[in-house]
Amino acid sequence: MMKSFLNYSSEVAKALKNGKPVVALESTIIAHGFPYPDNIELAHELEKQARKAGVIPATIAIIDGEIKVGLSDNELEFIAKSKEVNKASLRDLPVLLAKELNGATTVASTMQIAYLAGIDVFVTGGIGGVHRKAEETFDISADLKALSQYPVTVVCAGAKSVLDLPKTKEVLESKGVPLLGYQIKKLPAFYIRDSGLEVDYMIENAKEVSGIIEKNRILENKSGILVTVPIPKKDELEEKEFNKIINELTKEVEEKEIKGKNITPYLLNRIKEKTKGRSVEANISLVKNNLQAGCNIAKELKGSF
Ligand code: PSU
Ligand code: MN
């Protein structure tokens, strides 16, 4: 059953074999989403939180051309620290494997690997989507493509308003991806609880999500499911201030001609500077909050409550 070209940690292999709940975690968030040592601390905290909730964490990355499903402490440290770790989305995976290079997996490639590994639930911070001005730049994250073709449930805090959220919603609809709000009707916008847009459906609890996942499977849908969870109120950024920052940065990215896969890491870093670090705290808070929901969904799916 278990694919031999995937390198499972013994903890993850055992959990999958025994039908225990597992959640996938991405590594771009570690390598490029947070500065060192915040990133390694967060990576450890997330793994600890999952285990405490009775769920085995499977952090996914590419090391020396091998697909790792579950990382050792040394491997986590390497991803967090090394400058030789490429941001690896769908188009990068075959090349990194063949060239035996290192890669931090994005939402898209983590979904692909989670699917291959038989992991149904994947927790992250925010997904990529349709960028502002995409009608000129064509910049649409491969995360949306992955959501359309791997039946994995992604738990996130929505997408940042650096993206064009109405267009992102339209693409999700075209690709047949259910957009669910976890105990909320409004689509969260990462640092902000309410983007002003609505989700397709509000769901009350993990049990309801697990029911939807089962129906998605019965229907033989190839697409994933997007569960959005709002950031806890106490850690939300101030909306007006944040919108001002986004507008400034949208111009800045254009002027400096930051393009392609560098845009997201560039923006994250500039937002951190402009919010004097508060965005990092908010980001940590929302990921942990997403993980709580993701663990509950994974447990419901395995009937292990
Ligand atoms: N959004 C965040 N933090 C992140 C990312 C997105 O708030 O770290 C990362 C995720 O790994 C996501 C990727 O999959 O950026 C999207 O990049 P791109 O737009 O280049 O596909
Ligand atoms: Mn892009």
Side-chain angles (χ1 to χ4, degrees):
M1 259 278 276
M2 291 173 70
K3 294 196 166 54
S4 61
F5 63 92
L6 300 175
N7 295 272
Y8 301 89
S9 69
S10 54
E11 184 188 33
V12 172
K14 202 167 133 206
L16 289 172
K17 214 180 329 156
N18 297 331
K20 292 270 154 51
V22 175
V23 293
L25 299 168
E26 61 155 307
S27 45
T28 289
I29 193 177
I30 305 172
H32 310 289
F34 288 92
Y36 187 85
D38 294 354
N39 58 357
I40 186 72
E41 271 168 37
L42 177 63
H44 283 301
E45 278 172 24
L46 293 175
E47 296 206 339
K48 221 163 106 189
Q49 184 188 331
R51 289 188 192 106
K52 209 169 150 202
V55 176
I56 298 304
T59 305
I60 288 173
I62 312 299
I63 296 181
D64 295 332
E66 293 196 349
I67 300 177
K68 301 282 180 180
V69 183
L71 300 182
S72 67
D73 285 351
N74 282 342
E75 289 165 340
L76 262 185
E77 183 79 16
F78 172 71
I79 293 289
K81 235 179 181 169
S82 169
K83 297 277 173 266
E84 296 156 45
V85 178
N86 300 286
K87 177 174 163 185
S89 193
L90 297 182
R91 56 113 188 247
D92 305 290
L93 278 193
V95 184
L96 295 181
L97 299 189
K99 285 182 171 285
E100 301 182 1
L101 296 173
N102 303 302
T105 51
T106 63
V107 168
S109 51
T110 307
M111 277 188 87
Q112 178 172 21
I113 294 166
Y115 168 69
L116 292 169
I119 301 171
D120 302 309
V121 182
F122 160 31
V123 174
T124 186
I127 61 159
V130 181
H131 280 262
R132 295 184 182 200
K133 300 248 166 81
E135 63 276 23
E136 286 167 28
T137 63
F138 279 52
D139 190 346
I140 300 176
S141 173
D143 292 356
L144 297 180
K145 178 179 161 68
L147 278 161
S148 78
Q149 67 188 30
Y150 302 114
V152 170
T153 295
V154 180
V155 184
C156 71
K160 274 192 217 62
S161 46
V162 294
L163 299 175
D164 187 319
L165 297 180
K167 287 196 180 82
T168 301
K169 262 190 78 177
E170 289 297 339
V171 173
L172 289 170
E173 182 185 347
S174 305
K175 305 283 185 193
V177 179
L179 175 59
L180 309 178
Y182 199 77
Q183 295 161 349
I184 198 164
K185 284 189 178 130
K186 292 301 186 66
L187 176 67
F190 204 74
Y191 303 122
I192 314 275
R193 286 174 64 84
D194 177 359
S195 65
L197 301 169
E198 300 221 327
V199 292
D200 300 334
Y201 299 97
M202 177 169 114
I203 33 107
E204 297 293 343
N205 50 41
K207 191 158 190 215
E208 222 184 320
V209 182
S210 112
I212 295 169
I213 294 172
E214 275 159 16
K215 299 301 180 201
N216 199 52
R217 195 177 291 153
I218 289 169
L219 290 165
E220 299 184 18
N221 280 341
K222 304 287 180 279
S223 47
I225 293 170
L226 194 56
V227 177
T228 59
V229 187
I231 181 174
K233 254 200 187 90
K234 63 176 178 40
D235 297 310
E236 184 178 31
L237 296 188
E238 215 277 302
E239 193 174 347
K240 274 207 190 95
E241 182 199 342
F242 186 67
N243 285 340
K244 192 172 147 247
I245 291 174
I246 293 304
N247 289 332
E248 288 164 7
L249 289 180
T250 305
K251 275 189 216 123
E252 185 174 312
V253 163
E254 245 179 274
E255 278 159 19
K256 294 204 166 169
E257 297 187 24
I258 313 285
K259 289 203 176 92
K261 71 180 201 177
N262 297 323
I263 287 190
T264 304
Y266 181 87
L267 287 172
L268 285 174
N269 193 40
R270 290 291 289 136
I271 293 169
K272 177 184 122 198
E273 288 170 7
K274 283 183 178 263
T275 60
K276 301 194 176 65
R278 269 179 303 127
S279 66
V280 176
E281 281 166 44
N283 203 342
I284 291 171
S285 160
L286 67 85
V287 179
K288 289 182 177 170
N289 192 48
N290 297 343
L291 183 56
Q292 201 59 42
C295 285
N296 287 342
I297 296 166
K299 284 196 283 187
E300 279 294 348
L301 268 176
K302 299 291 179 199
S304 77
F305 263 110

